[in-house]
């Protein structure tokens, strides 16, 4: 990526203006000592997964000038309770009749394997049946390493409708606050398709609630024993006693049901008006190619011309 960036700079006549430095962000040495703008795409699944934010904070403390700006400048982690009876039938009820055979003894093993930790998925906007709750609000100009060592919050969800609760959902948004214009990247279920998706922690035993009821409990996420991984805990005290814990989870072992993902992504393109079959095929290819490119360009655009991996 760094080599390509240098070629782009040179071909477009900016060699005297732009310098590409290829180094770890934690180890880079900036000759001018102070910089005016930091742009970093450090966000991962569950906002914190991959644990790239500490490196950005270290770089900020060393180099950002007093009047400098950082993008994104604010990050918020949100949560809400989730209901999806169609999901329950497709993931659980399916095993009761598999082409006429009863496979229901598989269900306990399925729940133990798939519901023991959060997973990433595209969630339905109307599946959030409680008021949203803010779990963390980070000002990236002021946030310290100690602030993100552990994010802990009480939980208090008020139900908007009568519903069966199948899980607790998480998502984030980040703000790019400029002197004249501000832009928000929203990854909530109502925001449409994003590569970040949402996080859902399904319950092995769903419970029922009525309009106006309140569920109380607690949430925490902290660094795990393995670099880049996290320990996550959720507990509900009222009206049900329920504790959820997972350890050393990160993007490398975050489960996703690929059938559900493909089904969702196909629906995005199928909903586009007046697309013929060939055009849809091109759209699928462009989506795939864009996904591949974004994994590389994130290092280029996300670190302000400083690659976080010297091998790139």
């Amino acid at each position: 990526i760094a080599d390509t960036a240098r070629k782009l700079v040179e071909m477009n006549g900016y060699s005297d203006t732009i310098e590409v430095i290829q180094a770890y962000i934690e180890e880079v040495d900036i000759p001018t000592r102070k910089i005016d703008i930091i742009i970093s795409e450090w966000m991962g699944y569950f906002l914190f997964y991959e644990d790239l934010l500490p490196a950005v904070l270290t770089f900020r403390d060393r180099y950002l000038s007093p009047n400098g700006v950082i993008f994104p400048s604010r990050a918020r982690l949100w949560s809400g309770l989730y209901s999806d009876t169609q999901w329950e039938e497709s993931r659980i009820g399916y095993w009761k009749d598999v082409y006429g055979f009863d496979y229901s003894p598989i269900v306990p093993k399925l729940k133990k394997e798939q519901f023991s930790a959060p997973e990433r998925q595209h969630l339905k906007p109307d599946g959030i049946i409680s008021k949203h709750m803010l779990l963390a609000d980070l000002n990236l100009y002021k946030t310290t390493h100690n602030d993100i060592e552990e994010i802990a919050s009480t939980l208090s969800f008020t139900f908007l409708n009568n519903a069966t609760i199948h899980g607790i959902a998480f998502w984030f948004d980040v703000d790019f606050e400029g002197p004249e214009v501000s832009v928000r990247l929203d990854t909530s279920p109502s925001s449409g398709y994003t590569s970040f998706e949402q996080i859902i922690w399904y319950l092995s035993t769903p419970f029922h609630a009525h309009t106006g009821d309140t569920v109380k409990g607690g949430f925490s996420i902290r660094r795990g024993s393995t670099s880049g991984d996290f320990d996550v805990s959720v507990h509900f005290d009222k009206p049900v006693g329920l504790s959820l814990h997972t350890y050393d989870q990160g993007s490398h072992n975050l489960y996703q049901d690929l059938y559900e993902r493909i089904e969702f992504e196909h629906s995005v393109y199928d909903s586009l008006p007046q697309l013929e079959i060939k055009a849809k095929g091109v759209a699928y290819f462009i989506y795939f190619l864009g996904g591949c490119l974004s994994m590389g360009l994130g290092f280029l655009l996300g670190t302000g011309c400083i690659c976080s991996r010297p091998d790139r």
Side-chain angles (χ1 to χ4, degrees):
I1 297 298
D3 289 339
T4 302
R6 290 191 187 96
K7 292 176 181 177
L8 291 172
V9 169
E10 182 180 357
M11 290 179 63
N12 289 277
Y14 285 94
S15 297
D16 295 335
T17 306
I18 300 173
E19 178 186 2
V20 178
I21 301 174
Q22 186 174 358
Y24 284 109
I25 193 172
E26 302 95 325
E27 301 172 358
V28 68
D29 183 25
I30 306 296
T32 58
R33 299 304 301 170
K34 291 299 180 181
I35 61 175
D36 298 312
I37 302 172
I38 296 175
I39 304 173
S40 177
E41 195 271 297
W42 53 266
M43 302 82 69
Y45 300 120
F46 224 137
L47 181 59
F48 298 104
Y49 279 15
E50 297 186 42
D51 202 23
L52 298 179
L53 181 56
V56 176
L57 299 184
T58 298
F59 187 82
R60 176 205 64 188
D61 294 342
R62 290 181 62 191
Y63 292 115
L64 188 64
S65 64
N67 296 319
V69 295
I70 184 170
F71 297 124
S73 51
R74 184 186 188 188
R76 300 183 298 177
L77 180 65
W78 297 88
S79 183
L81 294 179
Y82 189 70
S83 177
D84 187 351
T85 54
Q86 184 178 358
W87 163 86
E88 183 179 26
E89 179 60 28
S90 64
R91 189 83 74 90
I92 303 299
Y94 164 82
W95 295 101
K96 297 177 181 178
D97 183 3
V98 184
Y99 300 104
F101 295 93
D102 186 352
Y103 277 70
S104 55
I106 289 178
V107 171
K109 298 180 181 296
L110 177 79
K111 289 184 176 182
K112 183 178 180 179
E113 175 186 302
Q114 296 185 6
F115 300 173
S116 61
E119 64 178 79
R120 62 187 176 100
Q121 203 56 260
H122 301 286
L123 301 179
K124 299 177 180 179
D126 58 2
I128 304 296
I129 42 74
S130 69
K131 293 184 178 180
H132 304 168
M133 183 167 184
L134 182 62
L135 302 180
D137 190 349
L138 305 179
N139 178 339
L140 275 304
Y141 289 99
K142 298 180 179 180
T143 297
T144 67
H145 288 270
N146 287 337
D147 292 336
I148 59 173
E149 186 64 32
E150 179 178 14
I151 303 294
S153 174
T154 58
L155 296 177
S156 181
F157 297 108
T158 301
F159 290 93
L160 303 175
N161 302 293
N162 297 339
T164 298
I165 311 308
H166 295 104
I168 178 171
F170 304 90
W171 63 91
F172 67 86
D173 58 41
V174 292
D175 291 337
F176 298 77
E177 300 168 305
E180 298 181 1
V181 177
S182 294
V183 177
R184 173 167 294 168
L185 169 63
D186 180 15
T187 70
S188 69
S190 60
S191 66
Y193 179 85
T194 74
S195 62
F196 295 102
E197 303 167 280
Q198 294 86 42
I199 296 297
I200 177 71
W201 203 336
Y202 287 115
L203 308 179
S204 58
T205 304
F207 64 91
H208 301 279
H210 299 90
T211 304
D213 285 354
T214 300
V215 170
K216 295 183 179 293
F219 163 83
S220 71
I221 179 171
R222 61 176 297 126
R223 288 191 185 87
S225 59
T226 305
S227 177
D229 291 347
F230 288 82
D231 299 340
V232 186
S233 297
V234 171
H235 70 269
F236 296 135
D237 301 324
K238 178 187 176 183
V240 293
L242 179 65
S243 293
L244 306 172
H245 305 278
T246 189
Y247 303 97
D248 290 327
Q249 187 183 52
S251 57
H252 64 97
N253 60 0
L254 184 61
Y255 176 78
Q256 180 181 45
D257 188 296
L258 293 180
Y259 175 79
E260 292 177 8
R261 173 179 175 176
I262 292 172
E263 186 178 53
F264 176 89
E265 292 176 351
H266 279 206
S267 70
V268 171
Y269 296 105
D270 290 340
S271 65
L272 296 176
Q274 300 177 343
L275 272 181
E276 299 297 332
I277 294 177
K278 182 180 294 186
K280 288 182 180 179
V282 172
Y284 290 141
F285 174 75
I286 292 174
Y287 162 75
F288 171 76
L289 182 61
C292 294
L293 289 174
S294 67
M295 290 188 290
L297 291 178
F299 289 99
L300 172 62
L301 302 179
T303 53
C305 292
I306 297 173
C307 289
S308 58
R309 288 180 54 180
D311 59 329
R312 299 200 177 193

